[in-house]
Structure formats: structure tokens, C-alpha cells
Amino acid sequence: MKTARFILPALLLSALTMTGLVHADGAHQHADATATAGAPGKASAITRTINIAMGDDMRFSPANVTVKQGETIKFIVANNGKLKHEMVIGSAAELAKHAEAMRQMPGMQHQDANQVTVEPGKSAELLWRFSKAMTVDFACLEPGHFEAGMKGSVSVVKSNKAATGK
């Protein structure tokens, strides 16, 4: 039975590595995470800065923000708690899938442009360009945090500027 404790995690890591969710070094990326939500932003294109606070109450503040289609936002994400937190941008389905992977392998390290991991008492920046008018979700995917309701959304509203191409 002792070997089963080691074989099952090894098999899971192997399966996740083959699917592209996890690299051999334990880091993971999600190629589809940016497909619907926009794309990483460039510092030279920032149109606005939005401060987001995270806490051990498993909430983001604010939890809902509104941006215009085509805007590049610099999120300054501050962890006011004593636990590690993160902000990951994606669709609700992508975030739920990612949260499940995090529960299965809680030590995974991130290498995604659509997320920042923030240690207690620290802050980090996340640059994101919102290309489509839609609702984009974000969440903390540390094990148990997503399930506790640590989620938010970005309402991306159609911009006349984006619609006319000016």
C-alpha cells in the first residue's frame, strides 16, 4: 500500500504533463486561458490602473470591475492577508478546471501571463488587454479558496473607440 501513495501522484503528474496542464518541473500553464479573456497587456499600452485587494476572508475587493473593450489594465493586486493568494483571469469553466487541478496538486507553480501569485503582505502587477465585450472572471485558485467564494468578474463593455477602430 505504501507504493500506491507514491504511484497515484506520479500517474496524475504524468497525465497532467501529457495534457499540457503541468510541465515536468511541476509548473503549469493553460494555453486556452487567454483565448476568450483577452491577452497579456504591454506596459506601453496601459490605459488605467485598478487596485484589487485580497484577504483571508476569501474575497477580492472590489470583486466586480468594469472596463472598456480594448483597454489595457494594470491591476495592482495586494494581499492583505496572512495566506498566499492569487488572481487568475479566465472563463468560469477554465477557472473551475484549473481549481480542480490545484486541488489535485497543491504544490504546482504558475507560469501564466493571466495570473499573479502574491505572498502575504505583498503586492504584484498583472497587465491585461481586454479585447472583447463580455464578462471575464477571475479567482484565487489556491486549494480551497475558489470553493470558499474567492471569485470576481470584469465586465468588458463595448467601446465606441474600439467599435470604430479609432
Side-chain angles (χ1 to χ4, degrees):
M1 274 319 266
K2 274 188 172 181
T3 36
R5 282 193 333 217
F6 299 106
I7 293 173
L8 189 56
L11 289 173
L12 180 60
L13 177 59
S14 177
L16 291 171
T17 301
M18 287 189 290
T19 63
L21 286 177
V22 176
H23 300 279
D25 63 2
H28 68 275
Q29 291 181 296
H30 299 275
D32 61 349
T34 60
T36 57
K42 295 180 182 173
S44 60
I46 294 170
T47 54
R48 196 156 46 110
T49 299
I50 297 176
N51 293 299
I52 303 278
M54 302 181 290
D56 295 344
D57 60 352
M58 303 301 158
R59 298 293 180 258
F60 289 97
S61 180
N64 302 294
V65 297
T66 301
V67 303
K68 290 182 183 173
Q69 179 183 2
E71 273 194 295
T72 297
I73 302 297
K74 176 168 79 171
F75 291 100
I76 298 178
V77 186
N79 182 348
N80 299 329
K82 295 183 182 192
L83 302 171
K84 180 169 66 170
H85 293 291
E86 61 185 11
M87 179 178 170
V88 182
I89 296 173
S91 71
E94 291 161 349
L95 293 171
K97 183 177 177 183
H98 188 156
E100 177 62 29
M102 290 291 288
R103 277 192 303 282
Q104 297 298 320
M105 300 200 58
M108 283 194 283
Q109 299 296 312
H110 293 94
Q111 294 181 346
D112 296 326
N114 65 318
Q115 73 83 36
V116 290
T117 301
V118 187
E119 295 295 329
K122 304 284 185 186
S123 63
E125 295 180 359
L126 174 60
L127 305 181
W128 199 257
R129 182 175 186 280
F130 295 93
S131 56
K132 296 179 184 175
M134 62 187 299
T135 297
V136 177
D137 297 298
F138 61 89
C140 178
L141 303 179
E142 287 294 316
H145 296 201
F146 179 78
E147 297 78 9
M150 197 165 182
K151 306 171 190 175
S153 67
V154 179
S155 296
V156 185
V157 297
K158 195 165 213 56
S159 165
N160 290 336
K161 185 176 181 180
T164 62
K166 292 183 182 175

